[in-house]
Short mmCIF file of all heavy atoms in Angstrom, two decimals:
data_model
loop_
_atom_site.label_atom_id
_atom_site.label_comp_id
_atom_site.label_asym_id
_atom_site.label_seq_id
_atom_site.Cartn_x
_atom_site.Cartn_y
_atom_site.Cartn_z
N ASN A 1260 16.94 8.08 1.10
CA ASN A 1260 15.96 8.91 1.81
C ASN A 1260 14.88 9.42 0.87
O ASN A 1260 13.70 9.50 1.25
CB ASN A 1260 16.66 10.05 2.53
CG ASN A 1260 17.56 9.55 3.64
OD1 ASN A 1260 17.43 8.42 4.11
ND2 ASN A 1260 18.50 10.37 4.05
N LEU A 1261 15.25 9.77 -0.36
CA LEU A 1261 14.25 10.17 -1.35
C LEU A 1261 13.34 9.00 -1.69
O LEU A 1261 12.13 9.18 -1.85
CB LEU A 1261 14.92 10.73 -2.61
CG LEU A 1261 15.48 12.14 -2.45
CD1 LEU A 1261 16.46 12.47 -3.57
CD2 LEU A 1261 14.35 13.17 -2.40
N GLU A 1262 13.90 7.81 -1.77
CA GLU A 1262 13.10 6.61 -2.02
C GLU A 1262 12.08 6.40 -0.89
O GLU A 1262 10.90 6.11 -1.15
CB GLU A 1262 14.03 5.40 -2.12
CG GLU A 1262 13.39 4.15 -2.63
CD GLU A 1262 14.42 3.04 -2.81
OE1 GLU A 1262 15.53 3.31 -3.28
OE2 GLU A 1262 14.08 1.90 -2.46
N LEU A 1263 12.51 6.58 0.34
CA LEU A 1263 11.60 6.46 1.49
C LEU A 1263 10.52 7.55 1.44
O LEU A 1263 9.35 7.29 1.72
CB LEU A 1263 12.37 6.56 2.81
CG LEU A 1263 13.31 5.40 3.14
CD1 LEU A 1263 14.15 5.74 4.36
CD2 LEU A 1263 12.55 4.11 3.35
N ALA A 1264 10.93 8.76 1.08
CA ALA A 1264 9.98 9.87 0.99
C ALA A 1264 8.93 9.60 -0.09
O ALA A 1264 7.74 9.83 0.12
CB ALA A 1264 10.72 11.18 0.71
N ILE A 1265 9.38 9.11 -1.23
CA ILE A 1265 8.45 8.78 -2.32
C ILE A 1265 7.46 7.71 -1.86
O ILE A 1265 6.25 7.84 -2.08
CB ILE A 1265 9.22 8.32 -3.58
CG1 ILE A 1265 10.01 9.49 -4.17
CG2 ILE A 1265 8.26 7.72 -4.62
CD1 ILE A 1265 11.10 9.08 -5.16
N ALA A 1266 7.96 6.68 -1.20
CA ALA A 1266 7.09 5.60 -0.71
C ALA A 1266 6.04 6.15 0.25
O ALA A 1266 4.86 5.79 0.17
CB ALA A 1266 7.91 4.51 -0.03
N GLY A 1267 6.45 7.03 1.15
CA GLY A 1267 5.51 7.62 2.11
C GLY A 1267 4.46 8.48 1.44
O GLY A 1267 3.26 8.38 1.74
N GLU A 1268 4.89 9.32 0.51
CA GLU A 1268 3.95 10.21 -0.19
C GLU A 1268 2.98 9.39 -1.05
O GLU A 1268 1.79 9.68 -1.10
CB GLU A 1268 4.71 11.22 -1.05
CG GLU A 1268 5.64 12.14 -0.28
CD GLU A 1268 4.95 13.05 0.71
OE1 GLU A 1268 3.84 13.55 0.42
OE2 GLU A 1268 5.54 13.28 1.78
N GLU A 1269 3.50 8.38 -1.74
CA GLU A 1269 2.62 7.57 -2.58
C GLU A 1269 1.61 6.78 -1.76
O GLU A 1269 0.48 6.59 -2.18
CB GLU A 1269 3.44 6.65 -3.49
CG GLU A 1269 4.10 7.43 -4.60
CD GLU A 1269 4.81 6.57 -5.62
OE1 GLU A 1269 5.17 5.41 -5.31
OE2 GLU A 1269 5.01 7.06 -6.74
N TYR A 1270 2.01 6.31 -0.59
CA TYR A 1270 1.06 5.63 0.29
C TYR A 1270 -0.07 6.58 0.66
O TYR A 1270 -1.25 6.22 0.62
CB TYR A 1270 1.77 5.12 1.55
CG TYR A 1270 0.80 4.67 2.61
CD1 TYR A 1270 0.13 3.46 2.51
CD2 TYR A 1270 0.51 5.48 3.71
CE1 TYR A 1270 -0.80 3.06 3.47
CE2 TYR A 1270 -0.40 5.09 4.67
CZ TYR A 1270 -1.05 3.88 4.55
OH TYR A 1270 -1.96 3.49 5.50
N GLU A 1271 0.28 7.81 1.02
CA GLU A 1271 -0.75 8.79 1.39
C GLU A 1271 -1.69 9.08 0.23
O GLU A 1271 -2.90 9.20 0.42
CB GLU A 1271 -0.09 10.09 1.87
CG GLU A 1271 0.60 9.95 3.20
CD GLU A 1271 1.32 11.21 3.61
OE1 GLU A 1271 1.75 12.00 2.74
OE2 GLU A 1271 1.47 11.40 4.84
N VAL A 1272 -1.14 9.19 -0.98
CA VAL A 1272 -1.92 9.55 -2.16
C VAL A 1272 -2.77 8.38 -2.67
O VAL A 1272 -3.92 8.56 -3.05
CB VAL A 1272 -0.99 10.06 -3.29
CG1 VAL A 1272 -1.72 10.18 -4.61
CG2 VAL A 1272 -0.38 11.40 -2.90
N LYS A 1273 -2.21 7.19 -2.66
CA LYS A 1273 -2.90 6.04 -3.26
C LYS A 1273 -3.78 5.28 -2.28
O LYS A 1273 -4.73 4.62 -2.69
CB LYS A 1273 -1.88 5.08 -3.87
CG LYS A 1273 -1.16 5.67 -5.06
CD LYS A 1273 -0.11 4.72 -5.59
CE LYS A 1273 0.62 5.34 -6.76
NZ LYS A 1273 1.71 4.47 -7.23
N GLU A 1274 -3.45 5.33 -0.98
CA GLU A 1274 -4.19 4.52 -0.03
C GLU A 1274 -4.81 5.32 1.12
O GLU A 1274 -6.00 5.27 1.33
CB GLU A 1274 -3.27 3.43 0.54
CG GLU A 1274 -2.82 2.44 -0.52
CD GLU A 1274 -2.03 1.29 0.04
OE1 GLU A 1274 -2.40 0.77 1.10
OE2 GLU A 1274 -1.02 0.91 -0.59
N MET A 1275 -3.98 6.04 1.85
CA MET A 1275 -4.44 6.65 3.09
C MET A 1275 -5.49 7.75 2.88
O MET A 1275 -6.61 7.63 3.37
CB MET A 1275 -3.24 7.21 3.87
CG MET A 1275 -3.60 7.71 5.25
SD MET A 1275 -2.13 8.31 6.14
CE MET A 1275 -2.23 10.05 5.77
N TYR A 1276 -5.12 8.81 2.18
CA TYR A 1276 -6.05 9.93 2.08
C TYR A 1276 -7.32 9.62 1.29
O TYR A 1276 -8.39 10.12 1.65
CB TYR A 1276 -5.35 11.20 1.60
CG TYR A 1276 -4.62 11.88 2.73
CD1 TYR A 1276 -3.25 12.08 2.68
CD2 TYR A 1276 -5.29 12.29 3.88
CE1 TYR A 1276 -2.57 12.68 3.74
CE2 TYR A 1276 -4.63 12.88 4.94
CZ TYR A 1276 -3.27 13.08 4.86
OH TYR A 1276 -2.62 13.66 5.92
N PRO A 1277 -7.28 8.80 0.23
CA PRO A 1277 -8.56 8.47 -0.41
C PRO A 1277 -9.54 7.81 0.56
O PRO A 1277 -10.74 8.14 0.55
CB PRO A 1277 -8.15 7.52 -1.55
CG PRO A 1277 -6.76 7.96 -1.90
CD PRO A 1277 -6.13 8.31 -0.57
N VAL A 1278 -9.05 6.92 1.41
CA VAL A 1278 -9.93 6.25 2.38
C VAL A 1278 -10.39 7.24 3.45
O VAL A 1278 -11.57 7.28 3.82
CB VAL A 1278 -9.21 5.04 3.02
CG1 VAL A 1278 -10.02 4.47 4.17
CG2 VAL A 1278 -8.94 3.97 1.96
N PHE A 1279 -9.47 8.06 3.95
CA PHE A 1279 -9.83 9.04 4.98
C PHE A 1279 -10.84 10.06 4.45
O PHE A 1279 -11.77 10.45 5.17
CB PHE A 1279 -8.59 9.74 5.51
CG PHE A 1279 -7.67 8.88 6.35
CD1 PHE A 1279 -6.49 9.39 6.84
CD2 PHE A 1279 -7.98 7.56 6.66
CE1 PHE A 1279 -5.64 8.62 7.62
CE2 PHE A 1279 -7.15 6.77 7.43
CZ PHE A 1279 -5.96 7.31 7.92
N LEU A 1280 -10.66 10.48 3.21
CA LEU A 1280 -11.61 11.42 2.60
C LEU A 1280 -13.01 10.80 2.50
O LEU A 1280 -14.00 11.44 2.84
CB LEU A 1280 -11.13 11.83 1.20
CG LEU A 1280 -10.19 13.00 1.15
CD1 LEU A 1280 -9.44 13.04 -0.18
CD2 LEU A 1280 -10.94 14.29 1.37
N GLU A 1281 -13.07 9.57 2.05
CA GLU A 1281 -14.37 8.90 1.93
C GLU A 1281 -15.02 8.69 3.30
O GLU A 1281 -16.24 8.82 3.43
CB GLU A 1281 -14.23 7.56 1.19
CG GLU A 1281 -14.05 7.73 -0.31
CD GLU A 1281 -15.14 8.54 -0.97
OE1 GLU A 1281 -16.35 8.27 -0.72
OE2 GLU A 1281 -14.82 9.47 -1.74
N THR A 1282 -14.21 8.37 4.29
CA THR A 1282 -14.74 8.21 5.65
C THR A 1282 -15.35 9.51 6.14
O THR A 1282 -16.47 9.53 6.65
CB THR A 1282 -13.62 7.74 6.61
OG1 THR A 1282 -13.10 6.49 6.14
CG2 THR A 1282 -14.14 7.57 8.03
N ALA A 1283 -14.62 10.61 5.99
CA ALA A 1283 -15.12 11.91 6.44
C ALA A 1283 -16.38 12.31 5.67
O ALA A 1283 -17.34 12.82 6.27
CB ALA A 1283 -14.02 12.97 6.28
N ARG A 1284 -16.39 12.07 4.37
CA ARG A 1284 -17.58 12.38 3.56
C ARG A 1284 -18.78 11.56 4.03
O ARG A 1284 -19.87 12.09 4.23
CB ARG A 1284 -17.32 12.09 2.08
CG ARG A 1284 -16.56 13.15 1.39
CD ARG A 1284 -16.44 12.86 -0.12
NE ARG A 1284 -15.41 13.72 -0.65
CZ ARG A 1284 -14.32 13.30 -1.28
NH1 ARG A 1284 -14.13 12.02 -1.51
NH2 ARG A 1284 -13.43 14.15 -1.70
N TYR A 1285 -18.55 10.28 4.19
CA TYR A 1285 -19.62 9.37 4.61
C TYR A 1285 -20.20 9.78 5.96
O TYR A 1285 -21.41 9.72 6.18
CB TYR A 1285 -19.10 7.93 4.67
CG TYR A 1285 -20.13 6.94 5.13
CD1 TYR A 1285 -21.14 6.51 4.27
CD2 TYR A 1285 -20.12 6.45 6.44
CE1 TYR A 1285 -22.10 5.62 4.69
CE2 TYR A 1285 -21.08 5.55 6.87
CZ TYR A 1285 -22.07 5.14 5.99
OH TYR A 1285 -23.02 4.25 6.42
N GLN A 1286 -19.32 10.22 6.86
CA GLN A 1286 -19.78 10.60 8.20
C GLN A 1286 -20.20 12.06 8.29
O GLN A 1286 -20.57 12.53 9.36
CB GLN A 1286 -18.70 10.28 9.23
CG GLN A 1286 -18.46 8.78 9.35
CD GLN A 1286 -17.73 8.40 10.60
OE1 GLN A 1286 -16.72 8.99 10.98
NE2 GLN A 1286 -18.26 7.38 11.28
N GLY A 1287 -20.17 12.77 7.17
CA GLY A 1287 -20.61 14.16 7.17
C GLY A 1287 -19.71 15.09 7.96
O GLY A 1287 -20.18 16.09 8.51
N GLU A 1288 -18.43 14.79 7.99
CA GLU A 1288 -17.46 15.59 8.75
C GLU A 1288 -16.73 16.54 7.81
O GLU A 1288 -15.61 16.28 7.36
CB GLU A 1288 -16.48 14.67 9.49
CG GLU A 1288 -17.13 13.74 10.49
CD GLU A 1288 -17.66 14.45 11.73
OE1 GLU A 1288 -17.46 15.68 11.87
OE2 GLU A 1288 -18.28 13.77 12.57
N ALA A 1289 -17.35 17.67 7.50
CA ALA A 1289 -16.85 18.61 6.49
C ALA A 1289 -15.48 19.18 6.84
O ALA A 1289 -14.62 19.34 5.97
CB ALA A 1289 -17.85 19.74 6.28
#
């Protein structure tokens, strides 16, 4: 379960949130 949790958190940190942040910035959604 810790392995699954690490995988989920790392996906958010390395892939998901960087893209979502850039999308929001690009679209001016503060």
Side-chain angles (χ1 to χ4, degrees):
N1260 294 341
L1261 284 163
E1262 191 175 319
L1263 292 171
I1265 292 164
E1268 299 297 322
E1269 286 186 338
Y1270 168 76
E1271 290 176 332
V1272 169
K1273 293 177 181 176
E1274 295 185 42
M1275 187 178 95
Y1276 280 120
V1278 172
F1279 290 177
L1280 273 162
E1281 285 304 312
T1282 301
R1284 280 186 195 122
Y1285 178 76
Q1286 294 197 313
E1288 299 289 356

